[in-house]
Amino acid sequence: MKNAFFKLPFQFDEQRLLNDLEVCLSENWKKHFNSQDYEGSWTSIALRSPSGKSDDILTIANENGYFDTPLLAKCNYLKQIIESFDCPKEAVRLLRLSPNSVVKEHNDFQLGYEYGFFRLHIPIKTSPEISFRVGGNDIPMTAGECWYANFHLPHSVANRSNVERIHLVIDCLRNDWSDKLFESVGFDFAETEKVTQPDEATVRLMIERLKEMNTATADELIRQYEKK
């Protein structure tokens, strides 16, 4: 499937990632806000957030934007990695999926490069027994790699291993630097011209589903969709 996912040309030091992770594990990790999208334990902590607090794991900000959290200041290597991406950064989190836990298949509306927004995953702890599927395909991520995936497509995660799956997840905005990066790994920009905006009926259905979630993030998405 074109543009579904790409391994980007970076390889980060696994031991340094684990060293910073140890600092973060002593903090208060929060349950993921989309409780109906998973079974088991799926938790997170923020390195950049709308409020600048590490326990604020929401990914949608108001007009004030995003701020580094105090936790990021304690994680020199993670901070270095985040700053190495020469594009605007929004929310940055660590996501932890415990053994025998599943993130159910779902779509994150318009979370793909063609919509001007992209999410990067850098595995810190993982296992070959963990299945990460996007658009019906398994992505064979290993520790220290950096991957882009189009999360507008159906995606899911199943941790059938005996280790925690912990990823550094960086939300970014597309710019000239990222266009050159994606071009270097074979992103088909001609495909982005074919993207169409959802019709009014689709938007209404999205808003109804978001209302059912009854979360702060869902409320903010509803506000944005109703403005369009």
Side-chain angles (χ1 to χ4, degrees), residues 46-54 56 58 65-69 91-92:
L47 301 176
R48 279 179 60 81
S49 71
S51 66
K53 297 178 180 178
S54 60
D56 177 6
L58 298 179
Y66 299 81
F67 304 91
D68 292 350
T69 70
V92 180

Side-chain angles (χ1 to χ4, degrees), residues 170-219:
I170 307 172
D171 289 348
C172 305
L173 297 180
R174 176 178 175 178
N175 68 356
D176 289 342
W177 176 86
S178 64
D179 276 356
K180 291 175 183 177
L181 172 64
F182 275 56
E183 183 180 22
S184 74
V185 294
F187 188 86
D188 187 349
F189 285 91
E191 283 293 304
T192 66
E193 303 302 322
K194 301 176 183 179
V195 172
T196 58
Q197 296 299 317
D199 59 29
E200 186 177 344
T202 300
V203 171
R204 284 201 302 269
L205 286 173
M206 290 293 300
I207 289 174
E208 288 306 311
R209 187 183 174 206
L210 288 166
K211 287 179 179 178
E212 293 171 3
M213 293 181 182
N214 193 30
T215 66
T217 299
D219 290 344

Side-chain angles (χ1 to χ4, degrees), residues 62-220:
N62 56 29
E63 64 274 6
N64 294 323
Y66 299 81
F67 304 91
D68 292 350
T69 70
L71 180 58
L72 181 58
K74 302 177 185 178
C75 302
N76 291 333
Y77 190 52
L78 296 182
K79 190 173 190 294
Q80 177 183 324
I81 291 171
I82 294 163
E83 291 177 349
S84 71
F85 295 100
D86 192 15
C87 58
K89 269 79 66 176
E90 296 197 330
V92 180
R93 300 164 293 156
L94 294 174
L95 288 174
R96 175 171 61 181
L97 187 67
S98 296
N100 301 310
S101 298
V102 173
V103 179
K104 302 174 188 177
E105 185 173 87
H106 65 286
N107 303 67
D108 293 321
F109 186 56
Q110 293 191 348
L111 208 173
Y113 199 73
E114 57 266 49
Y115 301 102
F117 179 84
F118 62 104
R119 176 168 290 167
L120 303 178
H121 275 250
I122 299 172
I124 300 177
K125 292 184 69 176
T126 189
S127 164
E129 298 176 54
I130 296 171
S131 172
F132 187 11
R133 294 178 63 81
V134 175
N137 297 283
D138 280 303
I139 307 181
M141 297 183 179
T142 61
E145 295 178 342
C146 181
W147 287 80
Y148 159 78
N150 182 350
F151 294 110
H152 182 75
L153 299 173
H155 56 281
S156 61
V157 188
N159 186 355
R160 302 305 185 193
S161 75
N162 60 1
V163 302
E164 292 183 318
R165 173 193 184 263
I166 304 178
H167 284 195
L168 171 63
V169 180
I170 307 172
D171 289 348
C172 305
L173 297 180
R174 176 178 175 178
N175 68 356
D176 289 342
W177 176 86
S178 64
D179 276 356
K180 291 175 183 177
L181 172 64
F182 275 56
E183 183 180 22
S184 74
V185 294
F187 188 86
D188 187 349
F189 285 91
E191 283 293 304
T192 66
E193 303 302 322
K194 301 176 183 179
V195 172
T196 58
Q197 296 299 317
D199 59 29
E200 186 177 344
T202 300
V203 171
R204 284 201 302 269
L205 286 173
M206 290 293 300
I207 289 174
E208 288 306 311
R209 187 183 174 206
L210 288 166
K211 287 179 179 178
E212 293 171 3
M213 293 181 182
N214 193 30
T215 66
T217 299
D219 290 344
E220 176 60 24

